Amino acid sequence: MAQILEPDICVIGAGAGGLSVAAAAAAFGVPVVLVERGRMGGDCLNYGCVPSKSLIAAARHAMAFAQAPAFGVTGAPARVDFAKVRDHIRGVIAAIAPNDSKERFTGLGVRVIEGTARFTDRATVAVGDAFVIKARRFVIATGSSPAIPAIPGLAETPHHTNETIFDLAECPRHLIVIGAGPVGLELAQAFRALGAAVTVIEAATPLAHDDPECVAVVLDRLARDGVAIRAGTAIRRIANADGEVRVVVMDGIGEETIAGSHLLVATGRTPNIADLGLDRAGIRVETRGIVVDNRLRTTNRRVYAIGDAAGGAPFTQPLTHAANYHAGLVIRQALFRLPVRANGDVIPRVTFTQPELAHVGLDEEAARRRRYRFRVLRWPYHENDRAVAERTTEGHIKVITTPSGRILGATIVGRDAGELIATWSLAVGQRLNIHSRNRRYRSAVSDPGGYR
């Protein structure tokens, strides 16, 4: 007979967002049940942020060898032991995993249940035949999985996604990447630095959601690094023949076959919501995910959806820190009944290529779409003393303001852009003015490199 649980909050999914909700609720002494059918830590720990940034860290050390002669430092070229690169990635995951473990959250006071959650009605979730959960509030934080395009022959051809690519013990001879979004280009550059030949195939525009002027800087660097990017190229079919992956493409010139040793599919994400019984709970779903209002409530008022699962709103982004931001909003209203309103403009995003590409707020296109009158301010890295000293002068900062100076958004392409965007996130979130009277802030915005 199933055990009946009646917590204040039931969280479905133990990824970044779900863990944040569970930990915060438990910290306030609220009874909370956390249900996870897979690995604690979700995509970020096991397949996403942590392993990808670990691989990129290894690639940056390889890049440093190649760049050293410009500083007068010479020696033997770098030798990459890819099995040890894989060990490094696994070691980083293992070091972080205890923070997200069942044992830790149990110690925090969270009841952790391993199994598949499914709504049986608007107020009840069942986990197999073992548990029936009747909570005051539910939070769906089930994340997303790689989206696999319907390309003829792909299903029959061995291929990788971000869930398997980090298990490689040998560097690919020639890696073919389908998709030129952030994940595709980050991994393309990293594998190239570690010794692979890399070709990226994109049917549309690389990094299509970012500022084209700043994207051009990234693409130029990738080309100089030896990454071949085939933009505006459609894939007709894929096959596995004689131990090779063969991708038949069509561009403006004609049909061509690209042969490689490994294939990586990086064509976006799809929310993990198919088996939740959402129809029984009266929760509306669209193609992008669960429909939520600006308070992250679903069409069932006792159920929230956060992170990648909440794809049905313009302020949602498939980012780990976006899920954490959503978690904070849910805690504020579910526990303290405080008014909240999700605002995607304050959530920064970073593509961890070299140079990095970071953005927060509105870019030029978004400002036009919202009918703002605006100004564009730019400052190049090559005017920053430290950037010159470190030979990292490629890139610039681009700031969008109203005519009166209120900061609407900023894009940085260049060294450490992911760190530098934090100041601009504060500026957008607090509706600060580029002509701020605060001397410390004025110094930060006038020196985009943040080095002096």
Side-chain angles (χ1 to χ4, degrees):
M1 184 175 179
Q3 181 179 354
I4 298 177
L5 304 177
E6 297 181 324
D8 194 78
I9 295 178
C10 174
V11 181
I12 305 173
L19 293 178
S20 294
V21 172
F28 287 109
V30 174
V32 54
V33 170
L34 174 64
V35 184
E36 172 56 53
R37 68 179 182 183
R39 300 172 68 178
M40 295 286 288
D43 186 80
C44 179
L45 172 64
N46 299 293
Y47 315 114
C49 317
V50 173
S52 68
K53 302 313 170 284
S54 301
L55 179 75
I56 290 169
R60 286 183 178 177
H61 283 283
M63 291 179 187
F65 272 88
Q67 296 161 357
F71 295 87
V73 179
T74 58
R79 293 178 60 251
V80 176
D81 184 334
F82 208 82
K84 289 187 177 180
V85 172
R86 183 189 63 177
D87 292 343
H88 159 67
I89 295 171
R90 290 179 173 178
V92 173
I93 294 173
I96 297 173
N99 296 328
D100 296 347
S101 66
K102 177 179 179 180
E103 292 76 13
R104 176 172 181 260
F105 276 79
T106 299
L108 293 174
V110 177
R111 176 71 180 271
V112 181
I113 297 175
E114 299 175 78
T116 299
R118 185 176 179 84
F119 283 93
T120 57
D121 57 42
R122 295 180 65 90
T124 308
V125 160
V127 183
D129 297 325
F131 297 95
V132 172
I133 303 171
K134 296 180 176 292
R136 186 175 70 89
R137 294 285 185 269
F138 294 89
V139 180
I140 300 173
T142 48
S144 62
S145 298
I148 306 300
I151 300 173
L154 177 59
E156 294 76 36
T157 302
H159 60 273
H160 293 280
T161 67
N162 70 294
E163 294 184 350
T164 59
I165 192 70
F166 303 110
D167 292 330
L168 293 177
E170 295 183 359
C171 186
R173 176 179 53 80
H174 181 185
L175 177 65
I176 299 175
V177 181
I178 302 177
V183 173
L185 293 187
E186 286 178 3
L187 297 184
Q189 189 180 45
F191 274 100
R192 177 61 186 144
L194 294 170
V198 180
T199 300
V200 180
I201 303 172
E202 171 58 56
T205 303
L207 297 175
H209 298 296
D210 284 287
D211 183 285
E213 177 185 349
C214 297
V215 168
V217 177
V218 174
L219 296 182
D220 177 69
R221 171 63 181 274
L222 287 168
R224 286 187 282 114
D225 286 348
V227 177
I229 300 179
R230 303 288 298 272
T233 301
I235 298 176
R236 290 297 182 89
R237 59 189 179 276
I238 298 174
N240 181 32
D242 300 325
E244 285 189 327
V245 175
R246 296 183 181 178
V247 182
V248 180
V249 300
M250 173 67 75
D251 57 19
I253 299 176
E255 195 170 273
E256 177 187 353
T257 298
I258 301 174
S261 60
H262 294 73
L263 180 65
L264 170 64
V265 179
T267 51
R269 312 285 298 177
T270 185
N272 297 326
I273 58 176
D275 300 323
L276 292 175
L278 299 180
D279 53 338
R280 296 185 180 183
I283 297 173
R284 182 183 168 200
V285 176
E286 292 182 350
T287 303
R288 293 174 55 200
I290 296 172
V291 176
V292 294
D293 61 17
N294 57 21
R295 296 170 60 184
L296 296 165
R297 295 179 306 180
T298 69
T299 46
N300 180 338
R301 294 178 66 85
R302 70 167 64 223
V303 181
Y304 298 89
I306 66 174
D308 291 6
F315 52 78
T316 58
Q317 300 182 46
L319 302 167
T320 294
H321 55 281
N324 290 329
Y325 167 69
H326 292 169
L329 297 179
V330 168
I331 286 295
R332 285 164 59 188
Q333 59 187 309
L335 298 189
F336 304 106
R337 299 185 180 182
L338 296 173
V340 300
R341 183 184 181 89
N343 178 10
D345 291 347
V346 303
I347 303 175
R349 64 176 184 267
V350 184
T351 299
F352 289 93
T353 49
Q354 289 296 313
E356 292 178 356
L357 176 61
H359 173 79
V360 69
L362 306 185
D363 58 15
E364 287 187 76
E365 181 182 352
R368 290 191 186 96
R369 192 165 55 245
R370 298 192 194 182
R371 300 184 181 277
Y372 274 104
R373 294 177 58 241
F374 64 90
R375 297 185 302 164
V376 179
L377 309 177
R378 296 177 178 84
W379 197 299
Y381 264 61
H382 66 71
E383 292 187 7
N384 180 277
D385 295 351
R386 184 174 175 186
V388 174
E390 297 191 1
R391 292 180 176 266
T392 55
T393 55
E394 59 185 342
H396 61 274
I397 184 170
K398 183 175 181 180
V399 182
I400 309 297
T401 76
T402 64
S404 63
R406 180 165 71 86
I407 299 168
L408 300 175
T411 303
I412 306 175
V413 57
R415 170 78 174 269
D416 296 332
E419 305 295 331
L420 302 176
I421 202 65
T423 299
W424 299 94
S425 298
L426 172 67
V428 172
Q430 297 298 312
R431 300 171 64 88
L432 298 182
N433 195 289
I434 199 77
H435 306 299
S436 172
R437 294 181 181 179
N438 183 306
R439 183 174 299 176
R440 179 179 298 177
Y441 179 75
R442 185 167 66 246
S443 175
V445 298
S446 64
D447 182 14
Y451 292 132
R452 293 188 293 193

